[in-house]
Amino acid sequence: MALIDVTKSCLDSIRQISEHIEGAIVYLDAGCTESFQLMGAFPLFLDLGARAVCSSENMCALDAVAHSTYPDSPLGPDAFHEYQSLLLQDYEELIENSDLKSGQLVDSNTKGNLTLEDEGWSRFTSNEDVPSLEASSAGKNQYGDSPRQGMVDLGQKPIVSVHHFPMILSPISPRVFVLPSEGSIAEACLSSEHEDSISAGLPSLSTGLPSDVDEVPPAATLTAHFLYHLAAKMDLKMEIFSLGDLSKTIGKILTDMSSLYDVGRRKRTVGLLLIDRTLDLLTPCCHGDSLVDRIFSALPRKERTSSSASIKCSQAQLKPGPSSLARASLEVQIPIGEVLTKEDFEIDDSGLSNGIEAFRCGWDSYNSASEMVDLISLSKKASDEKFFPAELLQGSLVSTETFKGTPYLEAILDRKTKDGAILVKKWLQETLRRENMTIDVKTRPGFASKLELKTMIKALTKSQSSLIRNRGIIQLASATLLALDESCSARWDAFISAEKILSVNAGDTSQSLAAQISDLINKSAFAGSDGKKSGKKELSQGLLSFQDALLLTITGYILAGENFPTSGSGGPFSWQEEHFLKEAILDAILENPSVARLKFLHGLTQELEANLNKTKSDVTKETSTDELNIDEFDDDQWGKWGDEDEDEENDNKEQEYDDMQLKLELRDRVDNLFKYLHKLSSLKSKKGPLGLESNLSSDPYTNKGLLYKLLTKILGKFDVPGLEYHSSTVGRLFKSGFGRFGLGQAKPSLADQNLILVFVVGGINGVEVQEAQEALSESGRPDIELVLGGTTFLTPDDMLDLLLGESSYI
């Protein structure tokens, strides 16, 4: 039986629509672009005969009608007929408004163009007087209620065909995937604001009780549809299990979507395990030993695109849907140029810089004043100035890049930082041998130094052909090198050290844990203020910022909730311990007004900055006053002092009142923050029925995340309280009907399946991929295939943004 390969299934789905791709100009929205880039699908589009692959967010106004609906519209995932009619209406109104503005009817040439079925979308006679695309999708007459005057003869309507493509996902490896960050599912809200919700980007806290909120979050419905069509496309029949309130809702939707036909067909069975992210917030908040997590955290991401900012579509007049999330892009931008130097390009006069710059100028020629690019002057510039294209050499991770058939990302996902770096070094050495290249650097077995990696990368980039041929390993090695650089690794290592200290103190007393959190906050506040006084824009290496300290505070509260009983104050700490923590955070905010971007401080940016500037100016005045000599004043000035003192006293009283108002407002905000921390610390009591800490209480087990513990118990065939099985249509029929005759079905076990798909609603990280594979290896079940998916790929910074940023319900 063939192994499951998510990436291959996605590429096969594209091949199945090859008849639509051949000879077409393919427009992709931001979600599809991110998905297809990560799976390396763009060469496939060209192989299938696509004329061009374009971005729908960056399309010109004449093409905007081809993409007239957006996720914010009330159209659902199955509203294909409405989508088709809206496209036709927008097209007709676009043609009509264009001709009415120009004062001309469609001439015979335009009519001829409109009747060409083979051309698909019809052509315009000119690009003058392009309308603003604000036509109503309802097809109403914008020029009055009377019949339209000067009706334009459009001839035959353009051909519009709308199909469903179910494989829009971002495969990180053949058996690990997430959803595109700018896709409709990842951007949809996972919870609405109520008592048990903590963020729009995370499921509500699981209570095990019926929800007071009747409305199903948009992301729940979209996730269920995605998983249903994913299984259908891969010809799989699902046995559905869920853990967590939102996962149970998704499981019920999936069960309702099943039919007798789907269940009765002979398909391979997959055990689908749905898990709420909020059952374990500690793992994604912590900085684990994962090379992939370091790469995603250290390297810059592609900036998000915004279609609504550049294109005004007809759907803008419809009632907007639920607010969407702004998740970090999955496209990691690898600045390869930073690894190389100018001398590296001067060694080989291959014309690489000429080619890259000429291509870029040619690509941007549409926006230039002249459509002809002066390549002669460009070539002269490159040859005279030895142009160094460091800013042009940027790479990205592609899951289909392999070394002798082994996908790079799949191999390093299962490894820790040191082991992953050593594996990258081994691949570089093998590539150099294949290219018959030698390097003059001493290598140490069992260790990968930054000097070794950098030297081998430079050797492989000396020629243009080698750079193109070995781009996969060059990009991955450059990403590894930058992630291990001191500027990035120092902060990550400082986090690891602080988290270990918090974990040790959590096993002691609440007083020691509170004191440690307070110490981290005070140190971060001092580091930030000291850096500002010295004129430095960035913190010294290894020092954590105040926002980093807030993330550690969240970690500390979650640990406290797991180890200490709730005190009378409603949280895991006593009133006195929490008072010291509040004072520390209050002082840190006053010293670092830049943190006002966090949601619980919105509206206080100007006041905090003014307060800090006033404090600095007061210190400066006191210093300058002490240096003044009283002999410098003449007799005339003595007579003016009384009035000046009175005015100064009034100003001081007003300033003191303003300062008091600011501190009172700030205390209210900090109190709300701690109420939110109390909710996070109650996670264990919320998930208490799961009982995942009862068995297997050895140290290695307790230090693992929820996913490892859950898979260990399931594969060991232990009972997991709270794990719900969702019966299929036939299963319910046997249970309700034939069960009375003794023909009922036995409840299936997830461990009995040889294919398990785990989907974490809210997102996963690299450490969890390692631990899931570790649990599978320790189970002694080599016959089981494990596929891991999630809403998005989470880093600790992403968690801070979800919990305290714009999408937070603080």
Side-chain angles (χ1 to χ4, degrees), residues 586 589-590 601 662-670:
L586 192 67
I589 293 174
L590 292 173
L601 292 176
L662 175 61
K663 289 185 178 180
L664 288 174
E665 176 66 22
L666 198 55
R667 285 187 184 278
D668 290 339
R669 303 290 184 93
V670 172

Side-chain angles (χ1 to χ4, degrees), residues 77-97:
D78 297 322
F80 297 145
H81 296 294
E82 291 86 345
Y83 190 92
Q84 180 176 353
S85 63
L86 289 174
L87 287 174
L88 290 171
Q89 290 172 9
D90 285 351
Y91 177 81
E92 293 172 0
E93 292 182 5
L94 182 66
I95 294 290
E96 180 184 357
N97 293 344

Side-chain angles (χ1 to χ4, degrees), residues 468-481:
I468 300 300
R469 188 165 51 248
N470 303 302
R471 62 188 180 277
I473 184 58
I474 291 174
Q475 290 179 149
L476 179 60
S478 300
T480 303
L481 180 63

Side-chain angles (χ1 to χ4, degrees), residues 596-740:
R597 73 174 187 85
L598 298 176
K599 189 171 183 179
F600 76 97
L601 292 176
H602 275 189
L604 296 181
T605 305
Q606 295 180 353
E607 291 84 349
L608 290 172
E609 290 180 350
N611 179 76
L612 183 63
N613 293 333
K614 174 186 172 298
T615 304
K616 290 180 178 179
S617 63
D618 290 344
V619 173
T620 304
K621 287 180 181 179
E622 291 178 2
T623 305
S624 60
T625 302
D626 293 340
E627 295 175 355
L628 290 175
N629 192 331
I630 195 171
D631 295 334
E632 295 179 2
F633 293 95
D634 54 28
D635 294 338
D636 295 337
Q637 289 176 316
W638 288 100
K640 301 177 183 178
W641 273 27
D643 297 336
E644 291 178 354
D645 289 343
E646 185 176 351
D647 294 338
E648 184 176 352
E649 184 178 354
N650 293 332
D651 292 340
N652 290 337
K653 288 182 179 179
E654 292 180 2
Q655 188 62 48
E656 289 176 1
Y657 177 78
D658 293 339
D659 292 345
M660 183 63 67
Q661 288 292 104
L662 175 61
K663 289 185 178 180
L664 288 174
E665 176 66 22
L666 198 55
R667 285 187 184 278
D668 290 339
R669 303 290 184 93
V670 172
D671 286 339
N672 289 332
L673 170 64
F674 275 81
K675 291 178 182 178
Y676 185 76
L677 293 175
H678 291 169
K679 186 186 296 186
L680 297 180
S681 68
S682 67
L683 287 173
K684 184 176 181 180
S685 61
K686 298 284 186 182
K687 66 180 181 181
L690 299 179
L692 293 176
E693 287 78 17
S694 57
N695 298 330
L696 303 171
S697 59
S698 59
D699 289 340
Y701 178 82
T702 54
N703 291 331
K704 301 292 186 180
L706 172 67
L707 199 54
Y708 173 88
K709 299 176 182 179
L710 187 58
L711 287 175
T712 299
K713 297 196 71 173
I714 288 174
L715 297 177
K717 297 192 175 180
F718 292 97
D719 289 334
V720 179
L723 182 65
E724 181 173 324
Y725 170 68
H726 299 267
S727 299
S728 62
T729 304
V730 171
R732 293 196 302 269
L733 183 61
F734 269 98
K735 183 178 179 180
S736 60
F738 300 138
R740 70 186 67 178

Side-chain angles (χ1 to χ4, degrees), residues 123 304 313 491 534 566 678 758 762:
R123 297 185 297 269
R304 291 177 55 86
C313 66
R491 176 174 176 264
S534 61
T566 304
H678 291 169
V758 179

Side-chain angles (χ1 to χ4, degrees), residues 269-280:
T269 303
V270 56
L272 173 63
L273 175 59
L274 300 166
I275 306 173
D276 279 8
R277 175 73 276 171
T278 43
L279 294 176
D280 178 18

